[in-house]
Amino acid sequence: MTDDEPQPDRLRHDYSPWLFWTEADEEARERQLRHQRELGRRAGYTIGERCFVSGLASVQNEELRLGRWTSVAAGAHLTGSLRTGSECTMNAYTVIRGTVELGNSVRIGAHTSLLGFNHTFSDPDIEVHRQPLTSLGIRVGDDVWIGSHVVVLDGVTIGDRAVVAAGAVVTRDVPAGAVVGGNPAKVIKWRVPQLAPSASARTDDLADAVAEFADTARAQAEEILARCFEPSLGGGLFVDRPGAAPTVRAQCDAIEIADLLLGRAPGQLPAAEQVERLRSWQDPKTGMVGELLPDGNQRLPGDGLFDPDAAYHVLSVGYALELLDSAFPSPVHVVAEAGPDRLIEGLEEQRWETNAWNAGHWADVLGTAVHWNRKVGHPGRPGAAEAVFGWLLTHVDPMTGMWGSARPEDGLLQIVNGFYRVSRGTFAQFGLPVPYPERVIDTVLTHSRDVRFVRPDRQNACNILDIAHPLWLTRQSGHRDDEIVQLAGGLLRDALGHWTDRLGFGFRAPHPATVGDPATTPGLQGTEMWLAVIWLLADLVGVSEALEYRPRGVHRPIPAP
């Protein structure tokens, strides 16, 4: 060979092993067969006809059974028990550990990991590496393509003829014929359309899941309420979670949960006593309900529209009283006595462009106060309610159907969350159609793709409620209905998985990445909100009847009677 001739690529077959038996010369073939004979001397090793195992691969298995025409490329790291069918390929830098079984014709892309074992970490006082390992094993069917940079976790089964897109993190079983992608991996389409479950089958599965969830929640409701009741505080008060201070909202959340799951008031106190307490908390001067102090006593609310610490109580106390067949003893005076100019001034004082969530909350409180006042015979100053709706109709953005503007730091989050609050207390409460419903749907569906807020490990009850309710409120338009049903089904499955047995829901979804975050601790607020979210999502999918409950309080879907 002269200097001008091309040099042979000595590593070509180590990194492209499927070419070996059609290109390699006799010397290379003999070298490979010798390598295989050496491996075959190890106990538990069998290597089929026409296999290739790169000498640059790390093969440390306790058991290795390679089917015919199977190849292992350079940089692969194999440990544990690996059994393959015929014509499988493990490309460069594949990691396969633990107990793994591959069918026939499985292709695994470079830098992909199949991890058929897991660490335990149940004892926080012992280092993780000193705690036992578990292994459920990974099973891959026939004719499966697993792309590059995929991670498949222990316990997963990947069905025949499935495809796993590059970069996916597979945490649950992959149906036969499906194409999955993302983190965590979900079905994005079907390689074999005839294997896709019918809409009715998917609905039946969800109906069974929500029915099972509802049965569990009802069976544990008493225990969840008892866990958050402090009999030594103020004659007996609820706290959001053990160790927390008592709040007005906690008393109301307990009433909402008991109504949803038990069909009655919480059993910790007589219903009449709970009614009297809530009614006594209304300040006769302002009509607002001040916050509780740590000892269970109450602070008087501030004057005007609206004391921030008392504002939400217009909703929570008003609805709790309604669930107990009662009502505020007095109107919300700060609203009943305000004229059209004052209410418009209040709306314009809100920071819609930078804090649409809080501005929407203010409008929600205003609309709800108008509703309660009408129920007790105080419709307010002439033209006041009409001025509120007129302002909202003339200030909505026709491009988004919402109030306020998107922000670089959190995208559409503020305006979507603000829309829920505005519409809940005004248009939804009074049974009026929202303006630009199709634009609302477009905006919410765009927001639903923002992984910062909808990825399962980043979900909280507020953000998912603020997706579910606007889509439910505008569902009669039929706009993008298939997308809505698909989204609602996925979020519903996520939500059902957020339940903690015997404790309920935390405000934020539990996840290994959020351990220690107080918002993930189950409590009354999270439980009440997620129960409502689950109903809304289930109704969008068409399986809400399986829950055998429907929110009647703060998050009730239907207009006020």
Side-chain angles (χ1 to χ4, degrees):
M1 180 179 294
T2 68
D3 292 341
D4 295 332
E5 294 179 13
Q7 300 296 311
D9 183 354
R10 292 182 298 138
L11 301 180
R12 174 179 173 79
H13 298 132
D14 289 287
Y15 288 93
S16 300
W18 56 88
L19 300 174
F20 179 79
W21 289 104
T22 57
E23 294 185 354
D25 58 26
E26 287 301 320
E27 181 182 355
R29 292 187 182 199
E30 179 54 35
R31 190 164 53 247
Q32 172 62 204
L33 290 172
R34 188 165 56 249
H35 178 51
Q36 291 183 25
R37 286 194 295 271
E38 291 173 359
L39 290 173
R41 295 190 184 101
R42 301 181 188 179
Y45 278 47
T46 59
I47 299 176
E49 177 189 1
R50 296 274 173 145
C51 285
F52 177 89
V53 181
S54 171
L56 300 177
S58 174
V59 181
Q60 303 174 10
N61 300 83
E62 287 81 41
E63 179 186 26
L64 180 67
R65 313 285 184 185
L66 300 183
R68 61 190 301 272
W69 286 96
T70 289
S71 58
V72 179
H77 179 39
L78 312 180
T79 69
S81 173
L82 171 61
R83 297 186 177 200
T84 82
S86 63
E87 298 186 279
C88 294
T89 300
M90 286 149 269
N91 274 298
Y93 304 104
T94 298
V95 175
I96 301 181
R97 307 189 65 193
T99 301
V100 178
E101 296 181 11
L102 306 181
N104 298 316
S105 300
V106 175
R107 292 293 191 267
I108 302 174
H111 299 279
T112 282
S113 297
L114 278 65
L115 306 175
F117 74 99
N118 208 345
H119 289 276
T120 58
F121 48 89
S122 54
D123 190 337
D125 298 321
I126 298 177
E127 297 93 333
V128 170
H129 72 89
R130 300 185 190 280
Q131 299 191 48
L133 298 176
T134 60
S135 181
L136 300 173
I138 293 170
R139 292 162 184 82
V140 181
D142 297 335
D143 185 22
V144 172
W145 175 26
I146 302 175
S148 297
H149 293 278
V150 169
V151 177
V152 182
L153 298 185
D154 189 34
V156 165
T157 295
I158 300 177
D160 296 344
R161 296 194 282 175
V163 174
V164 181
V169 177
V170 185
T171 61
R172 62 184 69 175
D173 291 352
V174 176
V179 179
V180 302
N183 179 8
K186 297 180 181 179
V187 175
I188 53 180
K189 60 182 179 179
W190 290 88
R191 178 189 174 199
V192 187
Q194 58 267 35
L195 293 179
S198 66
S200 60
R202 292 194 297 271
T203 299
D204 289 345
D205 288 346
L206 266 177
D208 291 343
V210 299
E212 181 180 356
F213 159 76
D215 288 343
T216 298
R218 275 188 287 270
Q220 298 178 9
E222 291 278 18
E223 184 176 353
I224 289 168
L225 291 169
R227 169 178 176 261
C228 296
F229 186 69
E230 295 290 347
S232 61
L233 283 174
L237 290 169
F238 286 97
V239 295
D240 181 66
R241 56 187 184 272
T247 61
V248 172
R249 177 167 186 161
Q251 319 316 305
C252 303
D253 285 337
I255 292 167
E256 297 244 14
I257 293 166
D259 182 78
L260 281 168
L261 300 179
L262 303 174
R264 56 171 171 80
Q268 281 68 27
L269 294 170
E273 185 175 332
Q274 296 181 58
V275 167
E276 181 54 36
R277 170 184 282 164
L278 293 177
R279 284 170 59 88
S280 72
W281 282 345
Q282 186 183 31
D283 173 33
K285 177 183 176 183
T286 62
M288 302 288 287
V289 177
E291 65 178 338
L292 293 185
L293 300 172
D295 61 2
N297 290 315
Q298 188 186 19
R299 181 182 68 81
L300 286 176
D303 295 331
L305 297 169
F306 292 106
D307 178 347
D309 295 324
Y312 188 77
H313 302 156
V314 171
L315 280 65
S316 59
V317 176
Y319 283 109
L321 284 168
E322 188 169 69
L323 292 175
L324 298 175
D325 296 321
S326 186
F328 280 123
S330 303
V332 181
H333 291 294
V334 291
V335 173
E337 297 165 8
D341 291 346
R342 178 65 189 98
L343 297 185
I344 289 176
E345 180 185 6
L347 288 166
E348 293 183 342
E349 287 173 351
Q350 305 310 308
R351 294 179 295 152
W352 294 95
E353 296 304 317
T354 59
N355 195 340
W357 183 98
N358 195 66
H361 169 61
W362 196 93
D364 188 5
V365 174
L366 176 58
T368 304
V370 170
H371 166 61
W372 297 136
N373 289 349
R374 290 187 171 192
K375 283 198 70 173
V376 296
H378 289 268
R381 299 275 294 276
E386 292 79 3
V388 171
F389 282 99
W391 190 93
L392 293 173
L393 286 169
T394 55
H395 286 76
V396 65
D397 181 354
M399 299 301 294
T400 63
M402 301 189 173
W403 294 269
S405 302
R407 309 189 312 172
E409 57 264 42
D410 51 16
L412 297 168
L413 179 70
Q414 283 283 332
I415 65 170
V416 170
N417 289 11
F419 176 87
Y420 164 67
R421 282 154 181 79
V422 173
S423 62
R424 195 222 68 86
T426 56
F427 295 95
Q429 180 121 260
F430 289 91
L432 299 174
V434 296
Y436 311 110
E438 294 187 357
R439 300 293 76 75
V440 171
I441 292 169
D442 292 340
T443 303
V444 173
L445 289 178
T446 298
H447 170 63
S448 73
R449 296 194 293 270
D450 193 328
V451 296
R452 292 176 293 177
F453 312 111
V454 299
R455 208 171 76 180
D457 59 309
R458 298 178 181 179
Q459 293 176 5
N460 66 46
C462 175
N463 291 345
I464 305 305
L465 172 66
D466 298 351
I467 290 172
H469 187 272
L471 294 178
W472 189 91
L473 188 62
T474 55
R475 71 201 184 285
Q476 73 281 354
S477 73
H479 182 56
R480 302 177 70 175
D481 187 59
D482 289 346
E483 294 175 69
I484 292 170
V485 171
Q486 183 178 0
L487 170 65
L491 292 176
L492 177 57
R493 291 186 188 277
D494 290 342
L496 297 176
H498 298 335
W499 177 267
T500 300
D501 197 44
R502 317 197 80 81
L503 301 178
F505 288 108
F507 177 75
R508 182 174 181 181
H511 188 270
T514 59
V515 171
D517 183 345
T520 64
T521 303
L524 299 181
Q525 178 184 350
T527 300
E528 185 274 322
M529 292 186 72
W530 279 111
L531 287 172
V533 169
I534 285 170
W535 188 92
L536 289 164
L537 294 171
D539 203 56
L540 284 169
V541 175
V543 297
S544 59
E545 289 186 3
L547 289 168
E548 297 184 13
Y549 73 74
R550 183 175 70 179
R552 300 195 308 134
V554 172
H555 300 113
R556 71 179 173 206
I558 61 174

